[in-house]
Amino acid sequence: MLPYDTEALAQRAAKGDQQVLETLLQRIRPEVLRRCGRFLPNREDAEESAQDVLLHVARKIDTFEGRSLFSTWLHTVVANAARQKYRELKRRTAEQPLPAVDVHRPDPRTTSVIAGSRLDLLDALERLEREHPALVAPLVYRDLCQMEYAEIAERTGLPLGTVKSRLHTGRQYVRQWLQAGP
């Protein structure tokens, strides 16, 4: 959970106050790292993704207009950065000559059920994005970022009923793919 004064800090930072931006970045860092860790099973990857998020916030805070909560805006940045990091890691692994597993870094699929399920979920989200892109945002916002339905509707510009319908359909696809396995 973000510190109570984060919203006010974000508003001031968005108006160009660099000193407040530094304070904001320090305050949100632990929560950003925690959220990235919910997506990425390896701590180092989560830390890299968190750094990407903080850099994005520092560079793009002026695009935060305050029409929604800063925490909502930040959820989106975290989700996008973590998913991008996962794609990058998959691409790097695919480009490596065999063996593709780093001997100094255990494969999370074999060391942790939770880590493996997160990787499987990210694979399913990637597939959902390829096959049914309109279903991704509601699913990520609700199930991974734990946003309220009204916030999702506001963020996506969709009617509440459409958000719920897309979420339901997206969950059906992901559940089916997770049960089927790789």
Side-chain angles (χ1 to χ4, degrees):
M1 176 155 235
L2 293 172
Y4 72 94
D5 62 344
T6 303
E7 298 295 329
L9 290 174
Q11 292 286 342
R12 289 179 49 204
K15 292 177 182 169
D17 189 328
Q18 290 299 309
Q19 195 169 12
V20 170
L21 176 60
E22 289 301 317
T23 302
L24 175 67
L25 294 173
Q26 289 173 1
R27 296 244 176 107
I28 66 172
R29 187 183 190 294
E31 181 65 13
V32 166
L33 181 57
R34 187 183 70 73
R35 290 181 186 176
C36 287
R38 292 179 67 195
F39 282 91
L40 299 162
N42 186 290
R43 175 124 179 119
E44 291 84 13
D45 297 335
E47 288 174 353
E48 279 184 43
S49 185
Q51 284 303 108
D52 292 343
V53 169
L54 295 173
L55 184 60
H56 182 88
V57 170
R59 288 183 176 163
K60 299 290 186 173
I61 189 68
D62 62 327
T63 66
F64 173 64
E65 299 171 346
R67 289 186 300 197
S68 64
L69 293 174
F70 173 72
S71 58
T72 302
W73 185 80
L74 185 61
H75 276 306
T76 304
V77 174
V78 168
N80 290 338
R83 291 175 59 219
Q84 182 60 37
K85 174 59 69 181
Y86 178 69
R87 284 187 206 108
E88 176 188 316
L89 293 169
K90 270 184 76 171
R91 190 173 43 252
R92 240 189 280 159
T93 299
E95 293 170 356
Q96 289 178 354
L98 293 176
V101 177
D102 182 351
V103 294
H104 301 294
R105 193 175 188 177
D107 179 359
R109 287 185 187 262
T110 60
T111 58
S112 166
V113 171
I114 294 170
S117 63
R118 276 189 268 175
L119 292 175
D120 293 337
L121 177 59
L122 288 169
D123 284 338
L125 284 173
E126 202 170 283
R127 182 175 175 184
L128 188 64
E129 192 163 33
R130 279 191 316 269
E131 297 180 18
H132 308 282
L135 303 178
V136 175
L139 187 71
V140 168
Y141 290 154
R142 181 68 183 158
D143 291 350
L144 298 175
C145 297
Q146 299 177 334
M147 291 170 62
E148 297 296 324
Y149 292 109
E151 276 185 290
I152 298 167
E154 180 182 328
R155 187 76 179 148
T156 60
L158 297 170
L160 187 60
T162 303
V163 167
K164 290 180 178 182
S165 174
R166 289 184 181 180
L167 178 60
H168 175 74
T169 305
R171 283 175 175 162
Q172 285 180 319
Y173 280 116
V174 168
R175 189 177 301 116
Q176 173 188 346
W177 296 331
L178 290 175
Q179 289 172 348

